[in-house]
Structures are given as structure tokens and as C-alpha cells.
Amino acid sequence: VVSAIADFSTWFFVWDDRHDRDAVHGRVVPWRTLRTRLHATLDAPESFLYHEEPLVAAFAECVVRLSAHLSPYWNIRFSEHFRDVIEAYDEEFTNRRTGTVPTVGAYIALRRHTFAHWVWLDLLELAAGQELPESVRERPEYRRAALASQDFSAWYNDLCSLPKEIAGDEVHNLGISLVRHEGLSLEEAVTELR
């Protein structure tokens, strides 16, 4: 299980880099094709194990391996959560192509999906070998703690990548949204991120 999660994590980083390169180089058709194929892979991962696109085949292998351990309900939930990630990446792709800097609230909502908050929490259940009951997952206390743990990681990532993203004219970073929409100086945005 840990190996499957580690491979998925590696795949995620490669996919993120591909997304970045497709956006930077204006490769709209390849990105949209990949997006569609990833959704299809979630529907029938075994059908894509030998796909000619390496990212699709690797994703299919990850999904098959991850879905072999817990209930069909967990598999459905994981797939639904990952569909949200794919769509958030697509929204980010569009924002990057149009130069749209999301408002702080819009960025936070989007980042929770692009950072795959709920997917990683699903994978914690997989690592533990035990699904949390829905009554626990839906409790406000659990959801607040879950989001706080993932938000911390996302905002720390944004803090560390802020200089690179400013230099690259990026639009997706909490610091950039704070400067653009809240009128903070760069120093104030960095303090807010910390």
C-alpha cells in the first residue's frame, strides 16, 4: 500500500509538471485530451493500463493498485475527489492562459482541489488500512482539522514557491492573490502566508 501511494505521489508530481508545461507553452489540445483521458481512466482503469500516453498508463496503474485494498465505496469516493482535482487543474490551466489571478477566496477554494486535499486524506485511510465512517468524515471537527493540516502544507508550498512564481509571471499562489486583490505589499503577503 505504501509503495502504491508513493508511486501515485510521484505520478502526481510528473502530472503537475506536465500541466505546468502545457499551460506555459499554450498546449491546449494536449492538455484537454489528457484531462479527458484521466476522467475516462477513473471510470475503467484496467482499460488504460497499456495506453500510449505514459501519464495515462501510469495513472491507470496507480488507480488499479490503490483501489485494490478498501471498499468499493472508498474507490468511488477517491475517484470523485480526484475528478474534482482534474477539474481544478483545468480551471487553473484556463486562468494561467488568460492571466487571471483569482481572488483570495476563489484561490483558497481552488487550491484545496489542486493540492488534492481530500485525495490525500483518502490515502491516509488507505495507509491505515481502515476507512473512517462517514459519520466521522462529515463531523465539522474532523473537516476543520483535515483542512487545516492540508492548508498548512499548501500555504507553505506557496510561500516557498512565491519568488519563482513571481519571476515566472504565475497567477496561482496565495501570496500573489493577496497582493493583487487585498492590496498587501509583497512583504505583508509573505507575513500573512507564514
Side-chain angles (χ1 to χ4, degrees):
V1 170
V2 173
S3 176
I5 294 170
D7 289 348
F8 174 76
S9 180
T10 301
W11 175 88
F12 199 99
F13 280 107
V14 173
W15 177 55
D16 184 71
D17 287 348
R18 163 72 183 274
H19 171 264
D20 179 65
R21 296 297 84 202
D22 282 352
V24 166
H25 296 293
R27 298 188 299 233
V28 176
V29 172
W31 166 252
R32 299 278 191 246
T33 301
L34 179 59
R35 172 183 164 259
T36 299
R37 288 178 178 160
L38 293 178
H39 277 295
T41 300
L42 288 168
D43 292 331
E46 294 84 2
S47 301
F48 291 87
L49 286 170
Y50 302 101
H51 197 276
E52 69 273 4
E53 165 62 64
L55 271 176
V56 173
F59 182 59
E61 181 183 346
C62 288
V63 172
V64 166
R65 289 170 62 204
L66 294 171
S67 65
H69 302 282
L70 294 177
S71 74
Y73 177 73
W74 184 92
N75 296 337
I76 291 167
R77 183 165 35 98
F78 174 84
S79 291
E80 288 173 355
H81 288 157
F82 202 80
R83 287 181 196 285
D84 291 341
V85 174
I86 296 167
E87 290 309 300
Y89 264 67
D90 191 53
E91 183 178 340
E92 181 178 307
F93 182 90
T94 300
N95 287 347
R96 291 178 71 191
R97 297 296 311 138
T98 61
T100 303
V101 176
T103 64
V104 171
Y107 177 78
I108 288 171
L110 184 63
R111 184 66 163 148
R112 286 179 172 160
H113 290 298
T114 60
F115 207 72
H117 281 36
W118 298 113
V119 168
W120 296 115
L121 292 165
D122 291 337
L123 292 174
L124 285 175
E125 292 177 69
L126 184 61
Q130 182 67 44
E131 294 175 52
L132 287 174
E134 186 173 356
S135 61
V136 172
R137 284 193 331 279
E138 296 301 322
R139 289 186 60 86
E141 298 86 354
Y142 172 80
R143 296 184 72 76
R144 274 195 308 275
L147 285 176
S149 70
Q150 293 295 303
D151 284 349
F152 171 81
S153 297
W155 308 154
Y156 184 73
N157 179 274
D158 282 4
L159 177 65
C160 292
S161 64
L162 185 58
K164 173 189 80 87
E165 292 177 346
I166 288 173
D169 291 326
E170 292 290 337
V171 298
H172 275 262
N173 185 295
L174 182 55
I176 292 169
S177 289
L178 287 166
V179 168
R180 174 72 60 91
H181 294 291
E182 301 295 322
L184 274 61
S185 69
L186 183 56
E187 294 77 19
E188 291 169 329
V190 166
T191 299
E192 186 71 20
L193 279 169
R194 287 185 179 155

